[in-house]
Amino acid sequence: MKITGVKSHVLQYDLPGELGYSQQYYEKRTAHLVEVQTDEGITGWGECFGPGNVAVANKGIVEKVIQPIIRGSDPMDRDVLWHRVYNLMRDHGQKGMPLQALSGVDIALWDIAGKVAGLPLHKLIGGAHRDRIQAYGYGMMLKRESVDDHVARFRDEAAGIMDMGFAAAKMKTGLGPESDIRLCQAVAEGVEGRGKFMVDANHCYTTSDAFYVGRALEELGAYWFEEPVAPEDLDGYRELRSGLRVNISGGEAEFNRWGWRQILENRGLDIAQPEVCALGGVSEYLRVLALCHAHFTPVINHVWGSAIAVATNIQLLAAMPALPGGLHPWEPMLEFDTTDNRFRDELLQEPLDIQGQVKSSGGYVSIPPGPGHGATPDMDFIRRFELDL
C-alpha cells in the first residue's frame, strides 16, 4: 500500500453570534481536516488544531511541506513517517504550526491502520480500559456586554449545561480578576451542587492575579483552574500548584514529548491536558501520555474541533490506563464544547450525537464502533463549507 495524496480541507461558516475568550472574539467557526489517500482506496481522516487563518496557513504546511515527504510511502509505517517529517521540519519549528500540521496527518495514518486491520483505534493501542466515558460541557464564553450581563448569563448557562446531563461545566474568564470572581460565583450557583465546575483562563493572568482568583476558587470549590498563566511561565505554574488547593491544569499549548518533559519535570500541573490535534498526533500523544503517567500526573485530554477530533479523543480516553488504579480509580472525562458547532454535529455520515448520548445515559458517551477512529465525513457536507483557497 502506498500514499498517493494528502489533501487539506479548511471548512468555515459564520456563527450565529460572536463568541470570545480571554484572548480574542471570533465570529466564524473553522475546522481543518486532513485526508490521506492510498492506492488501495483506503482513506484516512485527521484534524489539525488551529482556527481561522492559522488553519489556512497550516493547509500550506500539510500539502506543500509534508505531502512531498510522505507521498509514495507505506501509510502503515506511521512512526517512521512521523520522525522523517519531524526531523526535516525541526530546523523550522519544533512546536506550534508545524506540529499542528503533522498532527492531522498522523491521526489520518492511524485511521488508515485501523481500517486495514478492521479494528477501532483503541484496539490498536491495546484495548479499552472503559466502555463509556463521562463528559463535561463547556460554555460560558465572553461577549461584548456588561459584567452584570455576563454574571446573569453565566449562571443560566451553567445550570443549562447541568440540565443537559453533563457531569460538570467549564467556564471562561478574562474580564479582570475582580469581575472574573463574580463570574465564578455565578457559575458555582448555576451548578448548584449537581456536579463540578472548572475555570479556563486561557493564560490571561499574571502569577499574582492568578493567586487572587485561585484563592476565591478554593472557597467556591472549583475542580480545576486551567491555564491560569502563560504556558511559558513554568515557574508560575509550579508556584500556583504549591500555593493553591484548587487543581492546576494546562498543557494544550505544549507540543511533543520534549516540551512535555519540561512541564512534567517542573511539577507544575495537577492535571495534564494534551491536545492530540496539536502536539503531534496519536503517535506523539501516546508518548506524552506515558510521560504523564511516569510522573503520576492524571490526564484529561483537551478537545476542540470537529467530530474527527471528538471521535479520536473518545478512542484515546477509552484506551487510557487508570491512574493510579484500584477498585474505584480516578477516571478521565471527555471535554465537549456546548456552543454552536456544525462541524461536530453535522459532519459525519453517522453523527456521534454526543448531546443525545449524554442526556439519555446520565452523562456518558460510548466508543465509536467502526474501524480507525470511527468517524467518516460526509463529502457533500465538506464541499458545502470548504473554503476556496
Side-chain angles (χ1 to χ4, degrees):
M1 182 185 297
K2 302 295 182 185
I3 296 171
T4 56
V6 182
K7 292 186 177 181
S8 187
H9 304 275
V10 177
L11 315 181
Q12 193 171 86
Y13 72 92
D14 293 329
L15 288 165
E18 185 180 60
L19 299 174
Y21 60 102
S22 67
Q23 302 301 318
Q24 66 173 329
Y25 296 101
Y26 57 97
E27 298 177 334
K28 297 179 183 293
R29 174 75 69 184
T30 310
H32 179 188
L33 309 183
V34 174
E35 178 186 5
V36 177
Q37 302 167 328
T38 69
D39 61 355
E40 294 188 12
I42 298 175
T43 298
W45 288 92
E47 181 163 358
C48 304
F49 182 80
N53 289 333
V54 173
V56 174
N58 280 340
K59 175 182 173 69
I61 300 174
V62 169
E63 295 185 341
K64 303 299 183 182
V65 180
I66 298 178
Q67 178 176 215
I69 297 173
I70 69 172
R71 188 193 294 117
S73 299
D74 187 338
M76 299 297 284
D77 293 340
R78 53 192 177 277
D79 191 63
V80 173
L81 298 180
W82 193 99
H83 285 90
R84 182 188 301 167
V85 172
Y86 182 82
N87 289 339
L88 289 174
M89 293 197 299
R90 174 180 263 141
D91 290 345
H92 314 288
Q94 304 91 41
K95 299 176 183 285
M97 292 164 64
L99 269 293
Q100 292 172 349
L102 176 55
S103 297
V105 174
D106 182 79
I107 292 168
L109 294 178
W110 276 86
D111 191 35
I112 288 173
K115 290 171 179 174
V116 169
L119 295 171
L121 178 56
H122 70 269
K123 285 288 189 182
L124 293 184
I125 295 170
H129 290 269
R130 53 196 63 81
D131 58 10
R132 61 178 191 165
I133 298 148
Q134 200 169 43
Y136 77 85
Y138 94 72
M140 288 79 77
M141 308 290 287
L142 304 184
K143 295 189 177 182
R144 300 177 199 266
E145 61 188 16
S146 70
V147 175
D148 288 342
D149 287 341
H150 272 93
V151 167
R153 179 169 57 82
F154 273 35
R155 184 184 295 111
D156 291 343
E157 284 191 27
I161 287 173
M162 302 312 295
D163 290 341
M164 293 178 197
F166 288 98
K170 189 170 80 174
M171 60 177 288
K172 297 293 189 182
T173 59
L175 301 181
E178 292 82 7
S179 297
D180 288 342
I181 290 173
R182 291 185 59 194
L183 300 184
C184 296
Q185 290 169 336
V187 171
E189 293 169 4
V191 170
E192 293 180 342
R194 291 187 288 168
K196 301 171 182 176
F197 84 97
M198 296 83 83
V199 177
D200 186 359
N202 292 108
H203 51 79
C204 70
Y205 300 123
T206 62
T207 304
S208 60
D209 283 346
F211 267 110
Y212 178 77
V213 175
R215 291 190 181 103
L217 297 182
E218 291 177 336
E219 299 302 317
L220 292 170
Y223 182 37
W224 75 60
F225 191 9
E226 182 171 335
E227 280 203 309
V229 294
E232 301 94 335
D233 186 8
L234 299 185
D235 291 339
Y237 275 94
R238 186 178 62 252
E239 292 164 8
L240 289 164
R241 187 187 181 207
S242 64
L244 292 173
R245 295 193 308 275
V246 63
N247 289 313
I248 302 300
S249 70
E252 70 182 74
E254 192 50 83
F255 303 86
N256 69 47
R257 74 201 83 158
W258 299 286
W260 272 94
R261 180 185 64 182
Q262 287 183 299
I263 289 180
L264 294 165
E265 289 178 350
N266 189 61
R267 305 298 291 170
L269 293 179
D270 293 291
I271 297 171
Q273 296 172 299
E275 167 57 71
V276 67
C277 297
L279 61 76
V282 173
S283 297
E284 197 67 357
Y285 167 89
L286 294 175
R287 292 185 272 263
V288 168
L289 177 64
L291 278 175
C292 290
H293 282 195
H295 288 82
F296 293 94
T297 303
V299 173
I300 296 181
N301 297 353
H302 179 266
V303 184
W304 183 93
S306 79
I308 301 295
V310 175
T312 300
N313 276 282
I314 293 174
Q315 299 281 351
L316 296 175
L317 291 168
M320 183 189 297
L323 181 76
L327 291 174
H328 303 285
W330 183 95
E331 294 281 3
M333 294 188 290
L334 173 71
E335 178 176 13
F336 186 82
D337 175 4
T338 63
T339 64
D340 189 273
N341 190 341
R342 301 185 69 177
F343 303 144
R344 179 196 60 224
D345 299 336
E346 303 174 29
L347 171 68
L348 303 185
Q349 293 178 10
E350 297 183 14
L352 298 172
D353 188 24
I354 299 297
Q355 296 99 318
Q357 290 191 61
V358 165
K359 188 68 174 178
S360 64
S361 68
Y364 288 86
V365 299
S366 59
I367 308 169
H373 48 55
T376 303
D378 180 336
M379 292 306 301
D380 288 337
F381 182 89
I382 287 178
R383 284 187 284 268
R384 180 181 174 189
F385 290 98
E386 186 167 8
L387 294 180
D388 184 14
L389 299 172

